[in-house]
Amino acid sequence: MEILVDKKELEAQLDTLPPWKREAFTSFASIIADSDNTYPCIPGRQGFLMNHLRYAFIGDPRNPGSAEQLAQALGAYGEISRSTGNYASLAVFVETPEELLQDSTVEDYRSLFWKLLNEVTSLDPREWPEGIPTDPTDPGWEFCFQGEPYFAFCATPAHVERRSRHFPGMLLAFQPRWVFDEMNASTVLGRKMKQLIRKRLVEYDGFPGHPDLKWYGQDDNHEWKQYFLSDDNSSPSKCPFTRMKQTISRILK
C-alpha cells in the first residue's frame, strides 16, 4: 500500500486490508458520514464525501518506527495537499493493540500523542517556517512539518464523555493551515461556520464545548491545547511540545 491513499483506493482494497486497518477505516466512515448527518465538523464531513481527505496508517504509537511512518506520511502529504481539494485533511489511523485499548487512560493517550509529535518534529529536515512562532505559548504558534503549518487533532478510545473526541482506536488528523484562509474570525463565512460547528458540537457531545476551543491567533488562544482535549474541561498547565527545547539544546552544544 502507498503511504497515502484516498477513499476510493481504500474502498477498492478494503477486503485485503489487515483487520485493524479495515475496522479503523470503516469506523471512521460510519462516524463522519453518518446517515443522520450529526457529525459536528462540517468541513471534515464534506472532505470525506468529496474525497478531499487522504489517509495513512502507522503502527503502535509506543514503537519508535511509528514516528518515522508518521513523518513520511506528513512529508508526502505536504507535497500534494493543495491538489486534493478545499476541504483537505490527512487522517492517520494508529494501530492500537488490545493492551492499550484495555489499560490506557485519556492521559496515557495524551502522552502518546505528544510523544509522536515530538519524535516527528525531531525528524523534520527543514527549519521552522518564518512567520510561525516557535514558542507554543504564543497565540500564533502552530505545529509545523517541512514548512507546512497544521492544525492537529487526536481522538482516542478512552474518551467517553466527549463523544467528538472518541474513536475505537487512536486517530490523528492534520489539517493544513491554508484551509482556514477563508474560514476565520475575520470572514463572514468563518464566523457562520464556527457558530454552526459549535452548535452541532454541543448537540453531539451533549454539553458545552471545551473552554480551550478558540480562534487561531486570538490573544488568549493556545492551539496546542486544542489538539488533544481532555474528556472533561481540564487543561494541561504547560505544553509538552519540545521542538524549541531541542533547538536550544543543539545551539548550546
Side-chain angles (χ1 to χ4, degrees), residues 63-123:
N63 297 337
S66 298
E68 295 177 7
Q69 293 172 339
L70 180 54
Q72 291 173 359
L74 273 172
Y77 184 67
E79 296 176 0
I80 65 155
S81 66
R82 285 175 172 79
S83 65
T84 62
N86 293 335
Y87 299 106
S89 281
L90 171 64
V92 182
F93 302 111
V94 184
E95 185 175 10
T96 314
E98 191 62 31
E99 62 266 26
L100 278 181
L101 292 174
Q102 291 183 353
D103 302 331
S104 299
T105 65
V106 170
E107 289 307 312
D108 292 331
Y109 282 110
R110 190 196 304 273
S111 296
L112 288 171
F113 169 75
W114 286 107
K115 172 180 176 291
L116 278 172
L117 256 61
N118 284 326
E119 290 175 350
V120 164
T121 202
S122 71
L123 298 171

Side-chain angles (χ1 to χ4, degrees), residues 7 17 21 64-65 92 126 178 239 244 247 253:
K7 179 163 69 79
L17 291 177
K21 293 184 179 182
V92 182
R126 298 187 189 176
W178 59 262
C239 180
M244 187 169 62
T247 301
K253 287 180 179 179

Side-chain angles (χ1 to χ4, degrees), residues 26-248:
T26 54
S27 294
F28 180 82
S30 65
I31 292 171
I32 201 168
D34 65 286
S35 57
D36 293 329
N37 192 18
T38 60
Y39 189 70
C41 183
I42 299 167
R45 177 184 171 84
Q46 288 299 108
F48 176 81
L49 295 175
M50 299 172 70
N51 199 24
H52 291 183
L53 308 186
R54 293 299 179 267
Y55 307 90
F57 297 88
I58 67 172
D60 188 328
R62 298 169 297 182
N63 297 337
S66 298
E68 295 177 7
Q69 293 172 339
L70 180 54
Q72 291 173 359
L74 273 172
Y77 184 67
E79 296 176 0
I80 65 155
S81 66
R82 285 175 172 79
S83 65
T84 62
N86 293 335
Y87 299 106
S89 281
L90 171 64
V92 182
F93 302 111
V94 184
E95 185 175 10
T96 314
E98 191 62 31
E99 62 266 26
L100 278 181
L101 292 174
Q102 291 183 353
D103 302 331
S104 299
T105 65
V106 170
E107 289 307 312
D108 292 331
Y109 282 110
R110 190 196 304 273
S111 296
L112 288 171
F113 169 75
W114 286 107
K115 172 180 176 291
L116 278 172
L117 256 61
N118 284 326
E119 290 175 350
V120 164
T121 202
S122 71
L123 298 171
D124 191 344
R126 298 187 189 176
E127 295 296 322
W128 197 260
E130 292 185 13
I132 303 293
T134 57
D135 184 357
T137 63
D138 190 299
W141 180 88
E142 188 80 284
F143 174 74
C144 301
F145 190 79
Q146 290 194 5
E148 285 287 346
Y150 293 98
F151 179 84
F153 168 98
C154 184
T156 83
H159 282 81
V160 177
E161 300 298 329
R162 200 171 297 281
R163 183 183 171 202
S164 57
R165 292 291 174 129
H166 176 82
F167 193 71
M170 192 174 180
L171 169 68
L172 310 178
F174 296 87
Q175 193 165 22
R177 174 50 54 187
W178 59 262
V179 170
F180 299 95
D181 285 349
E182 296 183 3
M183 195 165 51
N184 55 63
S186 64
T187 67
V188 174
L189 173 63
R191 291 191 293 271
K192 287 183 176 179
M193 184 67 74
K194 178 186 177 182
Q195 291 173 358
L196 184 54
I197 290 174
R198 296 292 164 84
K199 178 178 181 293
R200 292 177 65 146
L201 188 65
V202 171
E203 293 171 351
Y204 195 76
D205 285 342
F207 53 87
H210 197 286
D212 285 337
L213 293 176
K214 298 181 173 70
W215 282 105
Y216 174 69
Q218 188 175 323
D219 289 343
D220 60 345
N221 175 64
H222 296 100
E223 288 289 279
W224 66 268
K225 291 186 176 183
Q226 299 188 46
Y227 292 175
F228 192 108
L229 295 179
S230 300
D231 210 21
D232 53 22
N233 283 343
S234 64
S235 182
S237 59
K238 63 179 182 178
C239 180
F241 190 65
T242 60
R243 169 100 181 197
M244 187 169 62
K245 295 177 183 177
Q246 293 171 6
T247 301
I248 292 172

